[in-house]
Amino acid sequence: MIAITNANVFDGLNDRLLKQASIIIDGEFVREITHKVIPDGCFERVIDAGGKTVIPGLIDNHVHLMFGDGRLDELTVHGVRNAKNLLYAGFTTIRDAGGAVYGIKKGIDDGLIEGPRIFPSYSFISQTSGHGDFRESRAAARIADHIYTSPNLMNGQSYIADGVSEVLKAVREQLFLGASQIKIMAGGGLSSQYDPVQTQQYTLEEMKAAVQAASDYGTYVMAHLYTIESIKRALKAGVKSLEHAHLLDDEAARIAKDNEVFIVPCPNFGKGKKTEKDEGKKEKNFYKDIARKALFSGVEVQTQLINKYDLNIAYGTDFIERFNGGNPKLNDLVSYAERFGNFKALKSATGDGYRLSKLTTYQNPYPEGKVGVLESGSYADLLIVDGNPLKNISVLTEPDNIKVIMKGGKVYKEI
């Protein structure tokens, strides 16, 4: 067993620190958080936190660990690097929002490579000409044996399904792989060529089919969308996690509140570097830039509505390697704090991620313990931080302030 002493503990759920406490760790799990005196010689190791803050390991609820053009083996190499970088940035758990992460997840869970716990969606599900249709041109087609011309489709990052029956099959195939939740593309986007942001994607019947198939397996659907039309359709279909949702309005916010729906705003998405592939597409970029400005003009209203109705939010960065070079940053936490306050921002990356994970019920890939919280029975996933992020969340943006990173009772970083 391990004891962490002299710790000021944030449990992931409450706006306070438990001062001068000790955390007793037994194997992978937290056994107890106590003010009892820790006797000498009873533990394999005692870590003196020295009055520093101990918080749960962070959760990024919107990550694409493996996403991009190229062969699957090449993407896997980058994915291994991404997983390690996320862990060493302080993320002990991620919810992967679409990608072929089966091998990496298994490698991490088996202890062969370093990385966070992964709640996988596997292929994100898209209609033809939707946000997940990454074919190079409108002329490229699915050939007779259902092999696609796009590498993104061939290697399982995306799955094209049209109509209720195809959507049902697509969802069930991801569940067969072990998806903990289902990701659908319910509207247009900024990173794909042929689906304007304003488009509505998937009919109500198709969305309901996805929700029903996921619900039948004890889990839920998360949906990429921006516009209010797409948001309201997704809410009507029973989607439980709205990704982005920049153009939220008052009516939709009230519906989301009444149905305990989560919103993952991903505040900095769309502000990343342009790729070489984007260059030379000035006409398309022109319209995408107009759409980007329109979306981000809605962030202020979205912020007001989230605060007005105290909506469920979860921290997500939309981490994609090509936008940030494989090096995850915690600067988005500062953006969340500016919008929602320090406590709600920190909770969105810890305890609210735990609450979101509970929606996976028996599809939860880590049923033995709790992620994102520090209490009896939680996984021993934690950070020891120099400073109090409840007062100043920016302390987490400096890597040297994170003194210890532990996952499952194993120390990965200690300075």
Side-chain angles (χ1 to χ4, degrees):
M1 292 199 295
I2 296 173
I4 299 175
T5 61
N6 300 319
N8 296 324
V9 181
F10 171 63
D11 65 4
L13 295 170
N14 296 291
D15 189 9
R16 59 177 173 77
L17 297 180
L18 185 63
K19 298 293 186 70
Q20 293 300 304
S22 296
I23 303 172
I24 309 302
I25 296 167
D26 188 357
E28 292 186 66
F29 305 98
V30 172
R31 171 182 282 189
E32 183 182 10
I33 299 177
T34 180
H35 284 106
K36 296 176 185 176
V37 175
I38 301 301
D40 294 334
C42 293
F43 296 91
E44 299 168 30
R45 185 176 181 197
V46 176
I47 300 173
D48 185 354
K52 296 180 178 63
T53 306
V54 180
I55 67 173
L58 299 173
I59 302 175
D60 191 330
N61 293 280
H62 194 119
V63 171
H64 296 283
L65 195 63
M66 286 177 58
F67 180 76
D69 296 327
R71 289 166 51 98
L72 186 58
D73 51 2
E74 178 186 1
L75 290 172
T76 301
V77 171
H78 290 281
V80 169
R81 181 187 69 167
N82 293 339
K84 181 175 181 179
N85 286 346
L86 282 160
L87 177 61
Y88 280 83
F91 294 102
T92 54
T93 299
I94 62 171
R95 183 179 66 156
D96 192 272
V101 297
Y102 178 83
I104 288 180
K105 172 177 166 49
K106 189 172 190 306
I108 293 169
D109 293 344
D110 290 348
L112 301 177
I113 56 178
E114 295 180 334
R117 305 180 194 279
I118 299 175
F119 282 73
S121 305
Y122 297 120
S123 302
F124 43 73
I125 300 169
S126 168
Q127 68 177 46
T128 296
S129 196
H131 190 53
D133 189 344
F134 287 100
R135 290 175 292 177
E136 288 301 310
S137 74
R138 297 177 190 271
R142 204 172 359 185
I143 61 178
D145 60 358
H146 299 280
I147 295 175
Y148 293 88
T149 57
S150 165
N152 303 85
L153 295 165
M154 290 178 68
N155 61 29
Q157 295 176 73
S158 185
Y159 191 116
I160 303 298
D162 296 300
V164 167
S165 62
E166 286 191 10
V167 169
L168 289 172
K169 181 176 176 60
V171 170
R172 289 166 180 165
E173 289 205 358
Q174 307 323 303
L175 293 168
F176 179 73
L177 289 173
S180 52
Q181 66 285 320
I182 297 299
K183 169 72 176 294
I184 66 171
M185 298 302 194
L190 298 172
S191 60
S192 49
Q193 295 181 44
Y194 303 116
D195 64 318
V197 169
Q198 299 88 345
T199 56
Q200 285 185 261
Q201 298 177 16
Y202 278 132
T203 64
L204 178 61
E205 290 73 20
E206 287 171 317
M207 279 199 215
K208 282 184 174 180
V211 169
Q212 183 66 61
S215 178
D216 287 346
Y217 270 70
T219 190
Y220 69 96
V221 169
M222 57 189 292
H224 162 99
L225 36 68
Y226 288 104
T227 68
I228 189 58
E229 295 81 8
S230 296
I231 292 168
K232 288 180 177 177
R233 184 178 289 182
L235 288 170
K236 189 173 182 179
V239 168
K240 285 296 185 181
S241 183
L242 305 178
E243 313 302 303
H244 313 301
H246 282 34
L247 300 182
L248 186 72
D249 72 4
D250 194 271
E251 181 186 4
R254 284 187 282 109
I255 296 170
K257 177 67 175 179
D258 291 344
N259 291 279
E260 299 184 340
V261 172
F262 279 81
I263 296 176
V264 185
C266 302
N268 284 345
F269 181 63
K271 295 183 180 179
K273 300 175 182 177
K274 288 185 178 180
T275 64
E276 291 181 8
K277 188 176 178 180
D278 290 328
E279 299 302 325
K281 296 179 180 175
K282 294 182 180 178
E283 184 177 357
K284 286 185 170 48
N285 283 337
F286 173 78
Y287 290 112
K288 293 288 187 183
D289 287 343
I290 290 175
R292 183 179 286 110
K293 290 175 183 177
L295 295 179
F296 282 96
S297 70
V299 168
E300 183 177 350
V301 172
Q302 184 196 48
T303 301
Q304 292 170 356
L305 291 170
I306 288 172
N307 289 327
K308 175 182 177 180
Y309 290 105
D310 191 25
L311 299 182
N312 294 324
I313 61 170
Y315 180 72
T317 62
D318 215 343
F319 172 84
I320 299 175
E321 181 181 31
R322 72 172 182 267
F323 287 133
N324 43 29
N327 295 310
K329 307 291 185 185
L330 292 171
N331 294 332
D332 279 357
L333 276 172
V334 177
S335 299
Y336 270 62
E338 290 171 348
R339 298 175 67 186
F340 312 119
N342 280 311
F343 167 61
K344 195 162 185 176
L346 188 59
K347 182 167 167 276
S348 75
T350 52
D352 285 330
Y354 164 62
R355 292 172 57 233
L356 183 56
S357 76
K358 289 168 65 177
L359 298 183
T360 62
T361 67
Y362 52 83
Q363 291 296 114
N364 186 335
Y366 307 101
E368 296 87 359
K370 306 169 187 177
V371 297
V373 293
L374 287 176
E375 60 186 44
S376 178
S378 65
Y379 282 108
D381 300 349
L382 58 86
L383 313 179
I384 300 180
V385 179
D386 191 0
N388 181 359
L390 281 176
K391 299 296 184 184
N392 179 16
I393 206 163
S394 65
V395 299
L396 293 171
T397 66
E398 294 295 330
D400 287 347
N401 287 335
I402 301 178
K403 301 300 183 182
V404 171
I405 297 174
M406 176 184 287
K407 177 192 156 200
K410 178 180 177 180
V411 174
Y412 286 86
K413 173 185 175 181
E414 186 170 15
I415 58 175

